[in-house]
Each structure stands twice: as C-alpha cells, then as structure tokens.
Amino acid sequence: MRVPHVGEFAEGELGRVLRALSVADREGDHAGFTALCRQHAAQLDARRKEWLRVPEELRESFHRDMKAMRPYPQTIERLARELNGLGRPDALRQLSGADLPGDPLGRIHEAQILAEDGEHEAADALLREELGQGLTDDARLAAIHSRMATHAAMRDDLDTAVEHARLAYDLAVRAGDRGEGKAAAVLDDLLIARELRRGTSDGRRLGACRDTLTHAQQLSDRAWFEESNRALLRLLDELDALPEAASALRFLGKLCGLMGLNHFHAGERGEARAWTHKALQECRRRGDRVGEEVYASNLKEIDRGEQAAAQGGDGLIGVPGRDS
C-alpha cells in the first residue's frame, strides 16, 4: 500500500512545505527536517489545524490497514514535537487532545455510555472512527482497544475481546503506561474465560490456579503468611508436574513473588530475597515486563530492608495485578 505524504491533500505553499517535510522524515534526513521546521515554523503553527487531522480522503485507508498507514501520522507527530521544541507547543497540545472539543478520551467515555445502554454497534463505530484518525499516542490507542475489548466481552465475543485486549496490553507496554499492569490482568482474565468456555483441560487448570492464587493472596492480606505459603507450595507442586508448554506455568512468576512477599512480611529476608529473585527470573524468561519491573523493585526494597526495619517499617513491595 502506498502511503501518501503529508501535504498531498493541502494546497499552495503549505502543501509544498508539508510534502518536503514528509519526504525528509521518511528518508531519515533529520537535519533537513529540523531546518524546514525552523524556517517555516510560524506558518506551520498558524495553520496547524489543517495538517493535524487526517484528510477525509485517507480515512478509509486507515480503517483498512492502520499499521500500513502509520508513516503518515508519525510525520505529523514528529512535526508537532519539533514545533514544541521551537517554543510552539500548541500543535502538540492539540495532538494530545488537550484543546479539541472531540478529544479521544472524551469519545472513549461517550462510547462507554453507549455500550452500557446496549448500543454496542454504535459504541464500536465511535471507537473505530477514532482509530481512523491516525492517532500515534500509544497510551490512547491502548485505552481505545481496552474499551473495545470490554465491549466484545459484553457481547460474549471472547475471541474478539482477547484480540483487542492483547493489542491494548502491547500498546500500553510500548507506551510505558502505568496502566499496563491492569491491561495484563484484563488480558489474563479473558484468556482464562475463553479457555473455560472451550471446556479444555488447560482452561480448567487455569481457573483452578487462579482460584488458588486468589485464595493465597487473601490469606496474605490477612497477615496469615504461613497459611498463604502452604497453599502456594501445594500449587507449586502441581505446576512442577506439568509439561513445559502448559499454559498454567505463566502463574509461576506471581506465585514466587507472593511467596517472597509473605516471607518479607514475616521478617524472613533471606527467603524473601530468594523467592523474589525466582519471580524476577521467571518474568524475564516469559517476557513479562510488568512483573519484571515489580520484582526488580521488590529486590531493591528487600536489600534496603534492614534500614527500613530500623525505621519501624518493612518497605513497600507487592505483586503485579493485586489491585487490578
């Protein structure tokens, strides 16, 4: 698919400048791109509304293949960021939705209201329209796909829900968004629900593992750390007996992390460090970025544990998804 250059649908001097910027951007001519922005900054800033939105002629192309069309909005975003660096922040603020009456976050809320009223098709149409705008903000794209996952789950279409939830998680991770933990938990819940619906042995095992972990977490929350660890060790024996490809093994990271948490609160810092290190290794092995960040932070807190204990506290460590 040929992706038109920014400016191809703009007339006159503005169109010429935008096309030159688009060509420089795609060819990796960063110096040329910066020079053009600096030379035409006043005009680009004054007429920003003409290039911030995707032209009507391209909307259908974005609907068909947003990934293929991505170079177009990328140039727009880089242009807005360059102008921001030149002391002209309005384009970047508008791109983020701060000054637009129909901003994406508002549209997401509107779609939520429609879905709650049973207007699922209208809600999804609204969100697809937002996707067709050529948004480049990964955090906002994640929010849109998360809402579409919720709508699909409300329609009992778990396959579509999983597809959108996976996209929401990937985008949240790429954006470094604080909501990635919640996105991971939603995806996990939908995957389990789909397997349970299919009636597979993996599905039943996933459900049972999730129930055990939830029970162990509840025991830990009540400060019954030994009882929580006993439940976790029984689950660990079950997981150790599974084949390497079993889906339930993805719970190993959280299991080890919760064991570490329990030992930490019980004052057993050596055991806490060992189990948390296992959790960190498991998350790294499985590419679980959320868990990796949590357990790396937990290890630092454990290493500072003696100082925290001397101050009358035991640090702040946790398990991913606990508040999801």
Side-chain angles (χ1 to χ4, degrees):
M1 175 186 291
R2 176 185 173 276
V3 182
H5 282 290
V6 176
E8 285 193 21
F9 298 94
E11 298 180 357
E13 175 69 8
L14 179 64
R16 184 188 67 78
V17 172
L18 288 170
R19 285 193 294 274
L21 282 163
S22 184
V23 170
D25 182 38
R26 294 190 198 177
E27 291 181 352
D29 181 6
H30 304 302
F33 186 86
T34 298
L36 281 167
C37 284
R38 185 175 292 110
Q39 181 183 353
H40 300 283
Q43 180 188 23
L44 291 166
D45 186 42
R47 300 178 63 180
R48 57 187 176 273
K49 290 184 179 180
E50 298 178 43
W51 52 266
L52 278 173
R53 289 295 192 185
V54 176
E56 188 67 35
E57 295 89 339
L58 298 183
R59 296 290 174 84
E60 185 58 34
S61 296
F62 274 97
H63 279 299
R64 286 200 308 270
D65 195 340
M66 188 173 70
K67 184 177 180 180
M69 293 293 292
R70 191 165 179 79
Y72 189 99
Q74 282 179 333
T75 295
I76 290 177
E77 181 176 0
R78 286 169 187 147
L79 174 52
R81 293 190 183 283
E82 192 69 35
L83 288 174
N84 182 62
L86 294 171
R88 299 178 182 271
D90 289 341
L92 188 59
R93 291 180 65 236
Q94 289 186 12
L95 190 63
S96 69
D99 292 342
L100 298 177
D103 68 279
L105 293 181
R107 302 299 289 276
I108 293 172
H109 180 63
E110 185 180 346
Q112 178 181 349
I113 294 172
L114 286 170
E116 289 173 352
D117 288 340
E119 300 289 341
H120 297 118
E121 291 186 10
D124 279 352
L126 195 64
L127 295 174
R128 284 194 296 270
E129 181 181 339
E130 288 302 322
L131 292 176
Q133 298 290 329
L135 301 175
T136 58
D137 186 323
D138 287 331
R140 278 189 286 149
L141 286 168
I144 291 172
H145 282 291
S146 177
R147 175 48 50 186
M148 295 184 81
T150 300
H151 294 174
M154 292 168 70
R155 297 194 306 269
D156 213 22
D157 183 356
L158 293 181
D159 286 336
T160 300
V162 166
E163 180 182 347
H164 283 293
R166 198 182 301 279
L167 281 169
Y169 172 69
D170 291 342
L171 287 161
V173 169
R174 192 165 68 190
D177 186 60
R178 287 180 297 176
E180 65 189 57
K182 182 176 181 180
V186 169
L187 175 59
D188 197 44
D189 286 341
L190 287 169
L191 286 169
I192 292 174
R194 187 172 67 174
E195 292 304 310
L196 287 170
R197 169 73 58 79
R198 292 173 176 175
T200 64
S201 58
D202 266 356
R204 290 189 292 273
R205 187 179 295 117
L206 283 168
C209 288
R210 169 59 66 85
D211 289 345
T212 299
L213 280 170
T214 299
H215 177 60
Q217 181 69 69
Q218 291 169 343
L219 291 171
S220 179
D221 290 343
R222 296 168 186 158
W224 295 346
F225 304 124
E226 290 186 15
E227 293 83 351
S228 177
N229 278 347
R230 279 198 291 270
L232 291 170
L233 287 172
R234 288 194 296 270
L235 176 58
L236 182 60
D237 288 340
E238 295 176 20
L239 294 180
D240 284 342
L242 296 177
E244 189 173 343
S247 300
L249 291 179
R250 72 173 185 265
F251 290 122
L252 269 174
K254 186 167 184 178
L255 185 155
C256 294
L258 185 52
M259 288 282 293
L261 179 71
N262 288 335
H263 283 294
F264 181 80
H265 287 312
E268 300 159 352
R269 301 187 186 279
E271 287 293 312
R273 183 179 292 104
W275 281 105
T276 304
H277 184 65
K278 288 180 182 179
L280 177 61
Q281 287 182 314
E282 183 63 25
C283 290
R284 284 176 175 166
R285 187 171 75 85
R286 294 187 175 275
D288 178 358
R289 172 177 157 172
V290 177
E292 184 177 343
E293 290 181 356
V294 169
Y295 297 128
S297 175
N298 286 0
L299 280 174
K300 291 179 182 178
E301 289 298 335
I302 292 169
D303 289 339
R304 292 195 293 263
E306 292 301 327
Q307 178 183 355
Q311 295 173 348
D314 59 0
L316 298 172
I317 74 173
V319 177
R322 180 172 176 174
D323 298 322
S324 301

